[in-house]
Amino acid sequence: MPAPVTAHDRRPLLRWAVLACYWLALTVGTHLPGVEIESPAPGLIRVDHLLHFFSFGGLLALVLWARPAPRAMGPRVFRLLAMVVVLAFAMADEYTQQWVGRHTSLDDAGANASGIFTVYLIASMPSGLTRWPRGLVAVARVAWLAIVPAAVLLAII
């Protein structure tokens, strides 16, 4: 008789299901023909760039969270491989949009890459932070979450 499945055993399946649903929704959403996002302040900021930034950065964050790879692979190798796979998908996704009546844009590809690199940098924070006092670690993480995306967004706007 097989051992019963516990909640701990189901957790990876839930993570993979969330990742698969998000990835599918992102692929379908970026290939809907005729969808244009208007910016509320046309000369100031491009809302579509923000969506690209957070959508593809979010995809990498979900891949890192779900960790659909053998545990034998070290965390550094897995982060780098995940970033390369998501970056390749983002570029292919941007390129294939022209096949459904949308336009391919280097600006959008740059926003995709910026979001991916930002999440990669945040995920690659030095593990030495765990030896810091808990409050200081929280401040350091918030600083990374605020400063890195702000710097990247300033570069793409």
Side-chain angles (χ1 to χ4, degrees):
M1 183 179 210
V5 177
T6 64
H8 180 71
D9 295 336
R10 283 188 294 245
R11 196 169 311 151
L13 294 176
L14 174 65
R15 290 178 180 194
W16 295 349
V18 169
L19 173 61
C21 289
Y22 183 82
W23 206 318
L24 180 63
L26 183 60
T27 303
V28 170
T30 58
H31 287 81
L32 292 174
V35 175
E36 292 294 326
I37 299 170
E38 296 297 323
S39 182
L44 185 60
I45 194 165
R46 303 244 343 236
V47 174
D48 65 328
H49 285 175
L50 288 175
L51 286 173
H52 281 268
F53 181 89
F54 287 109
S55 296
F56 285 92
L59 178 60
L60 178 58
L62 281 175
V63 168
L64 295 175
W65 175 68
R67 191 168 171 81
R71 292 282 178 195
M73 183 184 298
R76 289 182 184 169
V77 173
F78 176 71
R79 276 193 307 267
L80 184 61
L81 180 63
M83 182 196 62
V84 168
V85 167
V86 172
L87 187 59
F89 168 74
M91 297 305 114
D93 184 79
E94 188 63 36
Y95 180 76
T96 58
Q97 287 179 17
Q98 62 189 328
W99 298 346
V100 293
R102 297 185 66 169
H103 68 281
T104 299
S105 165
L106 286 177
D107 290 344
D108 291 346
N112 295 347
S114 297
I116 292 166
F117 289 137
T118 301
V119 170
Y120 176 77
L121 289 173
I122 291 169
S124 299
M125 285 176 42
S127 60
L129 289 178
T130 58
R131 292 184 223 124
W132 292 8
R134 181 171 271 163
L136 200 53
V137 170
V139 169
R141 289 180 191 255
V142 168
W144 270 83
L145 288 171
I147 293 170
V148 173
V152 172
L153 280 175
L154 286 175
I156 64 171
I157 293 178

